[in-house]
Amino acid sequence: MPSFVRTWLLGSCLWAVSLTALALPAADVPTVAGISLYDAPALRDDFSHLPYTNPDAPKGGELRQAAQGSFDSTNPFIIQGNPADGLNHVYDTLMEASADEPFTMYGLLAGGIRLDPDRHWMEIDLRPEARFHDGHPVTAEDVVFSFRLLRDEGQPFYRAYYADVDKIEALDDDTVRFEFSDNNSRELPLILGQLPVLPKHYWSSRDFASPTLDKPLGSGPYAVESLSPGRRIVYQRVEDYWGRDLPINRGRHNIDRLAYDYYRDQTVALEAFKAGNLDLRRESSAKNWATAYDTPAREEGFIKRMVVPDAQPAGMQAFVMNLRREKFQDRRVREALTLATDFDWLNTHLFYGAYEETDSYFESSEMEANGLPSDAERELLAPYRDHLPQDVFEAPLPASRPEGLRARLKKALGLLRDAGYEVRDGTLVNRETQQPLRLEFLLYDTQFERVTLPLIQNLERLGIEANLRVVDVNQFLTRQRNFDFDLILGSFAQSANPGNEQREFWTSDYADAPRSRNLIGLQSPAIDGLVDSLIRADSRQALDTAARALDRVLRWGFYVIPQWHLDGTRVALWDKFGYPQPFPEYTFDLSSWWVDPQRASRIEQRQRGER
């Protein structure tokens, strides 16, 4: 054996031994019912039910909601096809999150959890009573199969999410062990708890990567009762669901039937709700919220409205610029486009003053960057100074902008001129190529036209040829997945504890991966490095610092035209539901609601009378 090979092997063995020495034997690690990101779980291992559920809630009734567009698949895990809404009801995961805590997972399929204190490995004991809907037991082999299938053949999301898992194995029928390539991602054990477990005996003889309209087999609280492709899917509560009496489930999954009716237009869906054909609606339009619900049914108390608060960051909703297009490569052009939005006018004239303007990718949280970077942020940013604009280090956030639209458009025109454009006969053209700057905004919902057209008019004042294209949902999704757009309406939702999912949002590996959520097409060593720092954060303070540094770089890159946010969820409903209050702090959780038989009967009598 050559000496350099012996040296390499010896070094590798010593490294492996040192890692192993850091990890406690499984027998020395206590088995627990839940794990949390930084602190201990709020609930004791012997908790009886989640604090925001009613363990005595009645079972029964129906909840009908609207879905938009169409569907042609019941496989939500793959790139191909448009999956139906609500398929998450069919599958159990290893653990379940509490909507009342920032990031805590309690055992669902997992009856016991052993997590190495240094986070080099985790073992899961499956509940022996866990069953798929066909009666087959849920085994450790199913977990191993699901992990590998999703990582290798599922959406790019899974590859990003599970990137730091080095090994997975079934120790016996009921025990699975995960080993991690390093211990830098504190959230990795928790996001493994979100793993949906698929039946190996079902999928082994099927083509997982192809869309299907077969009724899926799962182990969760609901099964598909019926479906009409592109029109409707209905889920029926599983009466003998194996996990119905678990503490994590007690008082949840109370409604017998969950129906999703598909509408191609939100306006039609709104009318269907007011006519009593839908039971609950999450309202995204400030205009509708202010004006569309003044109906006799609401005056008589049959329809009610509420804003359910949540403590999650607002995230970023925006028009996303596609860096794969040459026209967006110049940062000055991108900044100029962000100056053309007149939020104050929109909020006054279209939104009834309902919204706050969004600046940050972690809006309304401690992770939002403000002012100049702190010393801790500078330390993270310093290695990438040559890759970043000086504003990241020297200019405070929010970025300074002129007051008033006219002044902002004047600054925008100056930036465009600096970038090599000039106005000729009212058209902005590139001095070098003589080509006009043309932009297309891609939408799928007509109700967003009214907020896009004023932006287009402002761009036209700069000489930019901009147009709006509204397509059906299927075409929109196809173009989005293939990155075939100039500007598209996008949303980057954030949790209180961002982590591995940030890879797919921002990093180079996902810039060209089909169906990835890196809509911008970012390929930046600085952003890649900051995402790694965020994932490796070992404390709340370190996570906040890394998120602020990442936020700072994203905002000074001017990759999107930010929009607005509301710190809560607007819900309109026919008043037949019961729900515990106060609502959970972090997530709007319909699984804890139930149908009140007396109120439901009263509403049905009214609707029959109208017919």
Side-chain angles (χ1 to χ4, degrees), residues 9-39:
L9 286 175
L10 178 60
S12 298
C13 291
L14 288 174
W15 177 83
V17 168
S18 66
L19 256 187
T20 304
L22 289 172
L24 286 176
D28 295 336
V29 175
T31 300
V32 296
I35 54 176
S36 187
L37 187 61
Y38 295 115
D39 303 317

Side-chain angles (χ1 to χ4, degrees), residues 4 6 26 34 41 46 69 163 176 179 269 313 378 416 436 498 542 551 584:
F4 77 90
R6 286 197 302 270
D46 61 350
V176 63
E179 295 183 4
R378 288 182 184 277
L416 291 166
D551 187 37

Side-chain angles (χ1 to χ4, degrees), residues 131-309:
R131 293 291 185 275
F132 292 106
H133 296 153
D134 63 357
H136 277 70
V138 180
T139 69
E141 280 298 328
D142 292 307
V143 178
V144 173
F145 173 82
S146 301
F147 175 88
R148 292 173 177 165
L149 188 67
L150 293 171
R151 180 195 60 191
D152 298 341
E153 299 186 42
Q155 296 180 28
F157 162 79
Y158 294 107
R159 180 162 56 92
Y161 226 32
Y162 305 143
D164 293 324
V165 176
D166 189 53
K167 182 180 179 182
I168 177 174
E169 63 176 327
L171 301 182
D172 54 42
D173 286 348
D174 297 324
T175 308
V176 63
R177 179 181 173 96
F178 299 91
E179 295 183 4
F180 310 139
S181 57
D182 58 46
N183 63 344
N184 290 327
S185 174
R186 284 192 65 85
E187 76 160 2
L188 182 57
L190 287 90
I191 62 178
L192 285 170
Q194 299 168 348
L195 177 73
V197 178
L198 312 181
K200 181 179 180 180
H201 68 277
Y202 176 86
W203 282 108
S204 292
S205 59
R206 288 171 165 80
D207 182 6
F208 181 74
S210 297
T212 178
L213 284 168
D214 293 343
K215 294 181 181 179
L217 176 64
S219 64
Y222 290 87
V224 174
E225 176 194 89
S226 61
L227 59 87
S228 176
R231 298 180 60 189
R232 192 172 209 244
I233 187 166
V234 179
Y235 301 88
Q236 176 70 41
R237 186 168 62 84
V238 178
E239 286 286 347
D240 60 350
Y241 169 47
W242 74 271
R244 63 186 179 276
D245 295 323
L246 296 176
I248 193 66
N249 283 331
R250 197 167 292 133
R252 300 174 65 224
H253 315 304
N254 305 306
I255 301 174
D256 274 354
R257 297 175 81 249
L258 307 176
Y260 295 84
D261 291 317
Y262 277 76
Y263 297 85
R264 295 189 181 274
D265 191 286
Q266 285 291 335
T267 303
V268 179
L270 172 60
E271 295 306 315
F273 169 79
K274 291 193 289 186
N277 296 322
L278 298 171
D279 298 312
L280 182 145
R281 174 178 169 82
R282 303 187 199 204
E283 183 55 73
S284 60
S285 167
K287 179 183 178 183
N288 287 344
W289 191 250
T291 65
Y293 294 92
D294 293 333
T295 65
R298 185 182 169 206
E299 293 174 2
E300 296 165 15
F302 290 101
I303 289 178
K304 66 186 298 184
R305 301 183 311 159
M306 63 179 73
V307 177
V308 181

Side-chain angles (χ1 to χ4, degrees), residues 42-62:
L43 305 178
R44 294 163 44 117
D45 281 1
D46 61 350
F47 75 96
S48 61
H49 62 90
L50 293 169
Y52 54 87
T53 63
N54 174 8
D56 300 318
K59 307 293 185 184
E62 181 178 49

Side-chain angles (χ1 to χ4, degrees), residues 136 199 427 533 593:
H136 277 70
T427 300
S533 296
W593 289 33

